[in-house]
C-alpha cells in the first residue's frame, strides 16, 4: 500500500517538476484545498483571512467561509479586482489567496503574475487550483508564481471517473516553503485510500496522450461553436474576446503559463450560453452524451451547471456572469465529427423553429416535423395522457425532495460539529441521489 502511494506521488512529481517530498495526496481535490487552508491558518497568526479570487467551484468559497476553518473570507468574485485586493491587504491581514485557473464554470484566467507580485509585497500565499487546465498543460510552479498547487486527480488524470483523489504540491521556490513543509510534516494526515491510489496510478499512466486528444477535440469544438447561429457565448480560455477588466486578455494570461510542449493546450472544459429565443433546456436534454457534474473524463460530459450548483442562489450566481441557462461541457475523446453532429442536434432542438411547448418539456417535437425535418409519428392519446399524469407525479415528488435538500443545506451551514456535518452530508447525498433518480424517470416518461 505504501509503495502505491509513493509511486503516485512520484508520478505527480514528474509532471510538476517538483520533488516527491513536496507532493501530498488527499481523498479528493477539495480535500487538498482544505489541507492548504488549514495549513495556512496554522502558520499565520490568529485573525488572518483568506481571499477567494474569482468565481470558484462553490465548495471552495463555502469552505473558506466556515469560521471553524478560517478566521474570515473576502470574496472578490470577478477575478480582476486587484485594487480591492491591494486595499484588503493594506487594511486587513491576509494569509492566502485561493484562485482557480481557469475558473469553473466561466473559464476565466486570473492574472497569476499580478497575484504573485502582491504576494511578494504583502507576504500571503498564492494557492492555485489548476484542475481545469491540469498540469499537463500549464505550469505555475516553475516560475515561482504559486506557493501551493491543488489538483483534483478525479478528473483528467484518472479519465474514467471510477476513483477519487487529489494532490497538493508545495512549491520549493515559495518564500513560505520552510514554514509550510514544517507544518505539514507535523500535521498532514494522508487521506487517500491505497486502493483508490492504485486505480489512479493505473488510469494516469497515459494521461499525456489522453490530454493531447482532448485538447484537440475541445479547441475544434470551440471553433465550431463560434460559427453557429444561436450560440451567444462560448467560455473557453482560447477566446479572443474577454469580458475581464484586466490589462491582458485571458488568452494572453493563459499563454504565459502554458507549457512549451507540442501537446499542451487549453483543456477540455467549456461553457455555452444561447441567444434569446433558443431553449437551453432543450439543447441540454438533446445532447446524446453522458450527463453529470464531473469533468475530465475520456467521454464527453455535460451538465446544467448553474441549476445544479447554485439552484437556491441563481440570482447571486448571475451577478458574476453565471447565467441560469449555462450548459457546461467537458469534451471527451470521441470522433470529432460525432461530437459536431451531437451539438448540431442540440442546437436544432433548442432553435426557435421547434415548438415551444416541446422545448419547455426539454424534448423534441413528437408530432408534425421531426428534428431532422422528416415526418414524425403522432403519439397515442391514451399513452400521452398517462405520461403526462406520471410526469406530474414525478414533478411533485421531485419538488418535495428539493425542498428537503434545501433544508439540509441550511442545516449544514449552521452545524459545526464533525459528526453532525457527516450526517447532514449523508442526508444531502441520499436526497440528491433520489432526486436524480426521479429526474431520470421523469425524462424517460417524456
Amino acid at each position: 500500500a505504501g509503495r502505491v502511494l509513493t509511486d503516485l506521488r512520484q508520478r505527480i512529481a514528474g509532471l510538476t517538476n517538483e520533488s516527491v517530498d513536496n507532493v501530498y495526496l488527499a481523498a479528493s481535490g477539495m480535500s487538498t484545498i482544505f489541507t492548504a487552508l488549514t495549513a495556512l491558518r496554522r502558520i499565520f497568526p490568529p485573525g488572518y483571512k483568506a481571499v477567494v479570487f474569482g468565481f470558484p467551484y462553490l465548495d471552495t468559497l463555502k469552505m473558506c467561509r466556515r469560521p471553524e476553518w478560517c478566521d474570515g473570507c473576502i470574496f472578490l468574485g470577478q477575478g480582476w479586482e486587484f485594487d480591492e485586493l491591494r486595499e484588503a491587504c493594506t487594511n486587513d491581514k491576509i494569509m492566502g489567496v485561493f484562485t482557480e485557473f481557469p475558473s469553473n464554470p466561466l473559464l476565466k484566467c486570473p492574472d497569476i503574475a499580478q497575484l504573485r507580485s502582491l504576494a511578494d509585497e504583502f507576504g500571503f500565499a498564492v494557492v492555485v487550483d489548476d484542475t481545469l487546465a491540469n498540469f499537463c498543460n500549464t505550469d505555475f510552479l516553475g516560475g515561482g508564481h504559486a506557493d501551493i498547487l491543488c489538483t483534483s486527480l478525479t478528473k483528467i488524470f484518472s479519465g474514467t471517473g471510477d476513483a477519487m483523489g487529489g494532490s497538493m504540491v508545495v512549491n520549493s521556490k515559495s518564500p513560505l516553503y520552510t514554514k509550510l513543509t514544517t507544518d505539514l510534516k507535523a500535521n498532514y494526515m494522508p487521506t487517500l485510500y491505497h486502493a483508490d491510489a492504485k486505480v489512479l496510478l493505473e488510469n494516469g499512466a497515459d494521461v499525456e496522450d489522453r490530454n493531447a486528444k482532448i485538447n484537440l477535440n475541445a479547441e475544434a469544438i470551440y471553433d465550431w461553436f463560434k460559427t453557429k447561429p444561436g450560440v451567444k457565448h462560448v467560455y473557453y480560455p482560447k477566446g479572443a474576446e474577454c469580458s475581464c477588466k484586466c490589462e491582458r486578455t485571458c488568452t494572453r494570461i493563459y499563454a504565459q503559463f502554458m507549457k512549451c510542449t507540442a501537446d499542451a493546450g487549453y483543456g477540455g472544459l467549456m461553457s455555452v450560453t444561447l441567444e434569446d429565443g433558443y431553449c437551453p433546456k432543450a439543447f441540454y436534454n438533446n445532447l446524446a452524451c453522458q450527463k453529470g457534474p464531473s469533468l475530465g473524463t475520456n467521454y464527453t460530459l455535460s451538465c446544467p451547471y448553474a441549476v445544479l450548483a447554485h439552484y437556491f442562489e441563481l440570482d447571486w450566481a448571475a451577478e458574476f456572469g453565471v447565467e441560469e441557462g449555462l450548459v457546461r461541457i467537458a469534451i471527451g475523446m470521441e470522433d470529432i465529427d460525432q461530437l459536431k453532429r451531437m451539438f448540431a442536434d442540440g442546437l436544432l432542438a433548442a432553435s426557435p423553429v421547434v415548438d415551444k411547448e416541446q422545448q419547455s418539456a426539454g424534448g423534441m417535437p413528437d408530432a408534425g416535423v421531426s428534428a431532422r425535418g422528416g415526418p414524425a409519428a403522432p403519439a397515442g392519446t391514451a399513452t400521452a395522457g398517462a405520461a403526462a399524469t406520471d410526469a406530474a407525479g414525478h414533478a411533485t415528488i421531485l419538488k418535495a425532495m428539493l425542498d428537503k435538500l434545501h433544508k439540509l443545506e441550511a442545516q449544514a451551514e449552521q452545524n459545526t460539529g464533525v459528526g453532525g456535518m457527516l450526517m447532514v452530508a449523508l442526508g444531502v447525498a441520499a436526497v440528491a441521489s433520489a432526486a436524480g433518480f426521479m429526474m431520470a424517470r421523469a425524462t424517460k416518461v417524456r
Side-chain angles (χ1 to χ4, degrees):
R3 183 63 193 175
V4 168
L5 294 170
T6 300
D7 288 347
L8 180 57
R9 290 171 61 216
Q10 187 63 62
R11 176 76 168 117
I12 294 164
L15 288 168
T16 57
N17 293 315
E18 265 295 346
S19 166
V20 66
D21 294 332
N22 297 331
V23 178
Y24 301 84
L25 301 176
S28 66
M30 288 312 304
S31 292
T32 68
I33 300 290
F34 177 79
T35 302
L37 178 66
T38 51
L40 290 175
R41 193 187 192 198
R42 288 189 297 265
I43 69 173
F44 280 84
Y48 275 65
K49 299 178 180 180
V51 173
V52 176
F53 196 74
F55 192 89
Y57 176 67
L58 73 162
D59 285 344
T60 298
L61 180 58
K62 291 181 181 294
M63 190 181 298
C64 289
R65 284 177 165 173
R66 298 288 294 202
E68 68 271 34
W69 296 330
C70 188
D71 291 334
C73 175
I74 298 171
F75 179 43
L76 301 176
Q78 298 295 350
W80 63 61
E81 305 98 326
F82 287 99
D83 290 339
E84 290 87 341
L85 179 56
R86 173 174 287 280
E87 182 179 350
C89 291
T90 302
N91 299 328
D92 261 313
K93 299 174 181 179
I94 305 301
M95 66 179 186
V97 172
F98 291 75
T99 193
E100 296 175 351
F101 192 102
S103 66
N104 183 10
L106 296 179
L107 287 298
K108 290 184 178 181
C109 300
D111 195 331
I112 305 296
Q114 277 192 263
L115 290 180
R116 181 72 259 162
S117 178
L118 286 171
D120 291 339
E121 182 178 350
F122 291 99
F124 62 77
V126 177
V127 182
V128 176
D129 181 343
D130 74 335
T131 297
L132 301 196
N134 84 74
F135 36 52
C136 291
N137 291 323
T138 53
D139 177 16
F140 300 98
L141 301 176
H145 290 91
D147 297 280
I148 301 174
L149 187 70
C150 295
T151 309
S152 172
L153 303 179
T154 310
K155 309 305 190 295
I156 195 167
F157 186 85
S158 174
T160 53
D162 60 351
M164 293 179 65
S167 68
M168 185 184 83
V169 182
V170 177
N171 193 344
S172 56
K173 300 179 179 64
S174 168
L176 297 169
Y177 176 76
T178 300
K179 289 183 177 181
L180 283 167
T181 52
T182 299
D183 174 83
L184 290 166
K185 185 176 181 180
N187 297 291
Y188 164 70
M189 294 180 62
T191 56
L192 181 60
Y193 185 51
H194 67 86
D196 287 327
K198 183 176 184 293
V199 174
L200 290 170
L201 185 62
E202 292 170 351
N203 291 350
D206 63 348
V207 64
E208 294 95 336
D209 294 337
R210 291 185 288 105
N211 177 69
K213 172 63 174 175
I214 288 173
N215 282 341
L216 291 174
N217 272 0
E219 190 168 351
I221 291 299
Y222 166 78
D223 292 338
W224 181 87
F225 265 131
K226 295 296 292 181
T227 68
K228 298 303 170 185
V231 176
K232 180 168 67 175
H233 197 92
V234 187
Y235 297 94
Y236 186 66
K238 178 186 175 182
E241 72 287 347
C242 182
S243 60
C244 298
K245 298 176 182 177
C246 297
E247 294 179 3
R248 301 188 297 165
T249 64
C250 287
T251 307
R252 289 183 62 192
I253 295 170
Y254 192 101
Q256 179 181 354
F257 300 100
M258 188 186 291
K259 286 187 171 180
C260 297
T261 61
D263 293 332
Y266 297 100
L269 196 74
M270 64 185 67
S271 295
V272 175
T273 56
L274 302 182
E275 298 281 3
D276 291 344
Y278 282 74
C279 179
K281 183 178 180 180
F283 172 70
Y284 170 74
N285 281 359
N286 283 277
L287 294 180
C289 65
Q290 300 293 327
K291 309 293 176 68
S294 191
L295 55 98
T297 47
N298 302 331
Y299 45 88
T300 296
L301 271 173
S302 64
C303 75
Y305 185 85
V307 174
L308 192 66
H310 301 286
Y311 184 80
F312 298 108
E313 51 190 18
L314 288 170
D315 291 340
W316 173 80
E319 292 176 11
F320 298 94
V322 182
E323 298 180 21
E324 180 177 345
L326 180 145
V327 177
R328 194 188 70 179
I329 303 165
I331 301 296
M333 298 175 62
E334 297 92 341
D335 175 75
I336 190 64
D337 291 328
Q338 173 190 342
L339 290 173
K340 289 178 181 178
R341 286 194 296 270
M342 176 185 71
F343 291 122
D345 286 345
L347 289 173
L348 179 59
S351 69
V353 300
V354 176
D355 181 78
K356 290 295 184 289
E357 184 176 345
Q358 290 295 327
Q359 285 185 341
S360 67
M364 293 292 286
D366 57 7
V369 180
S370 71
R372 297 186 181 275
T381 304
T383 303
T389 301
D390 287 346
H394 291 149
T396 301
I397 297 171
L398 181 58
K399 183 180 184 303
M401 288 179 173
L402 290 173
D403 289 342
K404 178 64 174 176
L405 187 60
H406 193 188
K407 292 178 182 178
L408 286 168
E409 287 183 335
Q411 184 180 347
E413 290 291 337
Q414 300 171 0
N415 199 314
T416 58
V418 175
M421 287 172 57
L422 178 59
M423 292 304 296
V424 170
L426 290 174
V428 169
V431 174
S433 177
F437 173 75
M438 291 307 301
M439 288 181 188
R441 285 286 304 274
T443 302
K444 185 175 180 180
V445 167
R446 293 189 188 110

